[in-house]
Amino acid sequence: MNKPTLIFSILFLLQACSSPKQNKDNEEPRVDEVTASYRTTGSVERLHDEVNQLIPANAQIEILAEGFTWSEGPLWLAEEKMLVFSDVPENTVYSWKEGEEKAIYLQPSGYTGQAPRAGETGSNGLLLSPDGKLVLCQHGDRRVATMQAPLATPQATFSTLADNWEGKKFNSPNDAAFHQNGDLYFTDPPYGLPKQAEDTTREIDIQGVYRLDKTGSTILLTDELTRPNGIAFSPDYKTLYVANSDSKKAIWMAYDVKEDGTLDNGRVFFDATDMTAERKGLPDGLKVNPNGYIFATGPGGVLLFDPEGKHLGTILTGQATANCAFDDEYNYLYITADMYLMRIKLQ
């Protein structure tokens, strides 16, 4: 082989090796680029220049792990430099660390009974209590519970924080947020109930938003939402945001938080009902950054809102997207989207 032919062959091989993986399956995300570490997918829709203050112009959505049935509830553990997240139907919490493969962190995570049980039994929302313990919204056990073991050595041993309202067992607590005073606010849609036996196992007819106060009392705050889901506070804790995962009324609500912990002045923060016809997903999990900007999973991926409810743009994942979480320094947004764990760089 002569020298020009050799050079041409080497260049051809290099080009072939660097070509993006082709999408051969509609269920697989379209891969736009292959980085040294992770495949990338999707794009960022920038409706207003303000998005550039949140997400760098060259930021890409990285696929960190995959193969889950329905990923949910991401939570960054700062001391462990690790993300944990739920796979709800598989009754498992997984962990992910930079440079390592996904691993089982906790199993079972949401249903600790022995008898087989239908429905989505695992944990959903995950968060840390004010004293640093892992708190889980457990679909299968129909409660909000605390893991008794340390974060570094997880074990499936739990203590109940709340499992009923007025003596009636919850449907399936979904997501939660702590107020700065230690009160726990959480949502209770029916997603975790066995569908074929829902009429016989369900004890509460409403879909409520509740508050567990420091005395251990559970108070119903509102039952006006058909499918309350994600929940988060503004940075000053004066506003509570709640997602409603209903295709007929795909909205986010905002409520004033009164001094006694109850809610007032409920209003539609953003209505995405018309968007559901064109894009996958419904209002689901949400987080708020220190400047009051809302990152809310919904139709298309993760919608970005300013504190007044202006839709600034969307992180388009190409998947039905469940939830998101920041790391402790707000460098990255981690995203659970159907069978994938993703992330994107932040400003």
Side-chain angles (χ1 to χ4, degrees):
M1 182 181 295
N2 60 35
K3 187 174 181 180
T5 303
L6 176 61
I7 293 173
F8 177 82
S9 300
I10 293 172
L11 290 173
F12 176 82
L13 288 171
L14 288 173
Q15 182 179 11
C17 291
S18 64
S19 296
K21 177 182 174 182
Q22 297 300 310
N23 179 16
K24 297 181 180 180
D25 186 344
N26 289 333
E27 297 300 318
E28 185 82 7
R30 179 177 61 87
V31 177
D32 300 316
E33 180 182 349
V34 177
T35 65
S37 300
Y38 305 108
R39 295 184 298 139
T40 63
T41 188
S43 60
V44 178
E45 175 187 58
R46 300 172 187 266
L47 302 178
H48 297 274
D49 291 342
E50 209 167 345
V51 171
N52 299 324
Q53 300 175 24
L54 304 174
I55 301 174
N58 62 349
Q60 296 184 330
I61 305 168
E62 297 176 300
I63 300 174
L64 306 179
E66 58 187 279
F68 311 104
T69 303
W70 179 249
S71 57
E72 253 283 10
L75 170 67
W76 182 257
L77 304 180
E79 290 188 6
E80 286 73 23
K81 299 186 185 302
M82 178 172 70
L83 189 84
V84 292
F85 56 99
S86 302
D87 190 339
V88 185
E90 302 304 322
N91 201 12
T92 301
V93 170
Y94 283 92
S95 64
W96 175 89
K97 281 187 175 184
E98 189 74 57
E100 298 182 11
E101 295 292 324
K102 65 185 180 186
I104 292 177
Y105 179 79
L106 189 63
Q107 190 181 55
S109 67
Y111 178 58
T112 57
Q114 298 299 317
R117 183 195 183 285
E120 297 182 353
T121 59
S123 60
N124 197 306
L126 306 175
L127 65 162
L128 292 179
S129 65
D131 60 353
K133 295 180 180 178
L134 180 65
V135 175
L136 308 93
C137 294
Q138 296 184 312
H139 276 192
D141 287 346
R142 298 166 69 175
R143 64 179 177 176
V144 182
T146 300
M147 184 178 72
Q148 295 177 352
L151 296 176
T153 55
Q155 296 180 14
T157 55
F158 308 101
S159 58
T160 300
L161 291 176
D163 62 3
N164 73 90
W165 172 63
E166 296 186 344
K168 299 177 182 179
K169 199 160 185 63
F170 290 131
N171 297 319
S172 52
N174 185 283
D175 209 349
F178 277 100
H179 192 276
Q180 63 180 351
N181 67 6
D183 289 354
L184 181 66
Y185 290 63
F186 62 95
T187 58
D188 185 43
Y191 295 128
L193 293 173
K195 291 181 174 59
Q196 68 270 27
E198 187 170 338
D199 291 339
T200 60
T201 62
R202 188 170 181 173
E203 299 180 21
I204 301 177
D205 292 331
I206 61 172
Q207 284 68 240
V209 179
Y210 297 91
R211 175 172 63 93
L212 175 68
D213 68 18
K214 294 178 290 296
T215 70
S217 298
T218 301
I219 300 98
L220 175 66
L221 298 173
T222 179
D223 62 357
E224 68 177 335
L225 298 177
T226 52
R227 289 293 185 271
N229 200 315
I231 187 169
F233 287 100
S234 60
D236 61 7
Y237 293 92
K238 293 182 178 180
T239 303
L240 181 71
Y241 304 101
V242 182
N244 191 54
S245 298
D246 186 341
S247 59
K248 296 179 180 179
K249 197 172 184 180
I251 60 174
W252 288 269
M253 292 290 293
Y255 300 90
D256 294 340
V257 182
K258 298 169 67 175
E259 289 188 8
D260 64 359
T262 59
L263 304 181
D264 193 16
N265 188 29
R267 66 269 187 196
V268 175
F269 180 75
F270 188 83
D271 190 336
T273 307
D274 292 343
M275 298 172 64
T276 62
E278 302 292 333
R279 294 180 169 181
K280 294 180 182 179
L282 293 168
D284 204 322
L286 66 150
K287 299 296 187 293
V288 183
N289 80 2
N291 293 323
Y293 289 89
I294 295 93
F295 292 67
T297 60
V302 183
L303 286 76
L304 310 175
F305 302 111
D306 73 5
E308 285 70 47
K310 181 171 68 175
H311 181 203
L312 305 177
T314 303
I315 302 168
L316 298 170
T317 65
Q319 307 295 315
T321 305
N323 214 327
C324 59
F326 304 110
D327 65 3
D328 57 317
E329 296 183 348
Y330 296 88
N331 287 326
Y332 286 97
L333 181 75
Y334 291 88
I335 304 166
T336 49
D338 201 344
M339 66 177 289
Y340 301 98
L341 172 66
M342 304 175 177
R343 77 175 175 187
I344 190 168
K345 188 75 173 66
L346 301 177
Q347 288 286 24

